[in-house]
Amino acid sequence: MYKILANDGIDKSAKVALEELGYFVDANHYDGAELDDMIKKVDCIVIRSATKIRKPLIDEAIKGGQLKLIIRAGVGIDNIDHVYAKEQGLIVRNTPNSSSDAVAELAIGHMFSLARHIYIANVTMRQGKWNKKQYAGIELNGKTLGLVGFGRIAQSVAKKAMALGMKIIYFDISNQDGILENCKLVSKEELLTKSDFMSLHIPFIKDLGPFLTKKDFDMMKDGMYIVNTARGGTIDEAALIEALDNGKVMAAAVDVFEEEPTKNETLFTHDKVSLTPHIGAATAEAQARIGLETIEVIKEVLS
């Protein structure tokens, strides 16, 4: 019987389906020495964003000689040292087709929240304040949305934003133009200077550092809005706070952080920041789809 460790949990229906197929599924969460021990005893480990599979943990898995498959139940695999894992003969997969719309909807939701002050009005109304005049907002219709990266999630954001009347420009290292009609590939400089709203959809690459630094914020259009549902570290948080304080950025929405849970009190108490706790893929529908896609990967590789 193949043993599967779903270290960051798994959709209940997916767990039942795997067990019915004859797999043993452990959905408990392990850290530290416990995880070092458990990873030697399983054929497959399924993780989300909480568990990091780095070289030392991979070395522990190799000692056990049992692990064959690592699955990131989500889009990115940046929390796995995937190149090293593959060099050790392990198969690394993700579920890229399952959560794109969920993350895209959250990004769009944050844009509405910023544009109409929903995030802060909900707080001040509960404090008994009637800030009607202070919360005059703007409309998304007619605004230029700059997308950083143009993969599945960004394309889903683009389609939804175009339905709202937004103009779409994007910067992507692939330099592929014409992927979607009415979406224009631009340079990073043009993206920074022309975007009214900017939404990030790229992995964090430690060796490259943040995509947005102080220098980038200085180039931006005054009073623009930023949404990050991608990865912590893609924006320099200190530079973002400075840009919020000096008005370069009117408001920002942040779902991902340099450290999670975030301890950056200056950021999470800032009255120009809309916050969510890394919930991009946290919808019932997305989790069910991720579960189904995970099952298909396991069946393909282990069977």
Side-chain angles (χ1 to χ4, degrees), residues 227-266:
V227 176
N228 190 8
T229 57
R231 284 289 184 271
T234 52
I235 297 178
D236 182 326
E237 290 181 358
L240 172 60
I241 291 166
E242 181 181 340
L244 289 164
D245 288 341
N246 65 28
K248 175 63 74 169
V249 175
M250 183 64 68
V254 187
D255 183 55
V256 291
F257 304 86
E258 291 177 358
E259 180 182 8
E260 295 186 358
T262 181
K263 295 181 177 65
N264 190 341
E265 188 172 356
T266 306

Side-chain angles (χ1 to χ4, degrees), residues 66-237:
Q66 189 167 336
L67 188 70
K68 303 169 185 67
L69 174 63
I70 301 170
I71 301 177
R72 164 71 164 90
V75 177
I77 55 172
D78 47 304
N79 55 335
I80 303 169
D81 284 342
H82 55 92
V83 173
Y84 182 72
K86 291 173 183 176
E87 289 173 351
Q88 305 310 307
L90 301 177
I91 298 169
V92 180
R93 299 283 290 274
N94 63 347
T95 59
N97 302 310
S98 302
S99 56
S100 297
D101 282 332
V103 179
E105 286 189 9
L106 180 65
I108 294 290
H110 269 305
M111 289 180 209
F112 277 120
S113 184
L114 297 179
R116 299 305 303 272
H117 304 281
I118 297 169
Y119 68 100
I120 190 66
N122 183 57
V123 174
T124 55
M125 284 286 289
R126 293 172 189 273
Q127 296 170 345
K129 299 176 183 177
W130 188 262
N131 293 341
K132 183 179 176 70
K133 291 182 179 179
Q134 294 94 314
Y135 296 155
I138 62 170
E139 297 176 5
L140 299 185
N141 180 42
K143 302 300 185 295
T144 296
L145 170 61
L147 295 170
V148 180
F150 208 59
R152 290 179 180 88
I153 296 172
Q155 289 175 42
S156 182
V157 173
K159 292 172 185 175
K160 292 168 174 53
M162 284 191 287
L164 296 169
M166 300 188 83
K167 302 170 185 176
I168 309 299
I169 58 176
Y170 66 94
F171 170 78
D172 189 90
I173 58 172
S174 70
N175 283 321
Q176 287 186 317
D177 201 0
I179 298 173
L180 280 182
E181 190 176 355
N182 298 320
C183 297
K184 181 184 177 185
L185 174 69
V186 298
S187 65
K188 182 177 180 179
E189 181 178 356
E190 189 172 352
L191 188 91
L192 294 172
T193 56
K194 291 189 176 179
S195 296
D196 299 304
F197 285 78
M198 185 181 297
S199 185
L200 278 73
H201 302 283
I202 53 172
F204 172 62
I205 301 173
K206 188 175 181 180
D207 292 342
L208 298 180
F211 178 82
L212 294 180
T213 63
K214 183 183 185 305
K215 178 184 69 174
D216 300 309
F217 282 109
D218 289 344
M219 291 177 63
M220 291 178 185
K221 181 186 293 188
D222 290 342
M224 58 89 67
Y225 299 79
I226 288 180
V227 176
N228 190 8
T229 57
R231 284 289 184 271
T234 52
I235 297 178
D236 182 326
E237 290 181 358

Side-chain angles (χ1 to χ4, degrees), residues 274-288:
S274 177
L275 298 150
T276 45
H278 203 150
I279 58 170
T283 66
E285 296 87 349
Q287 292 307 308

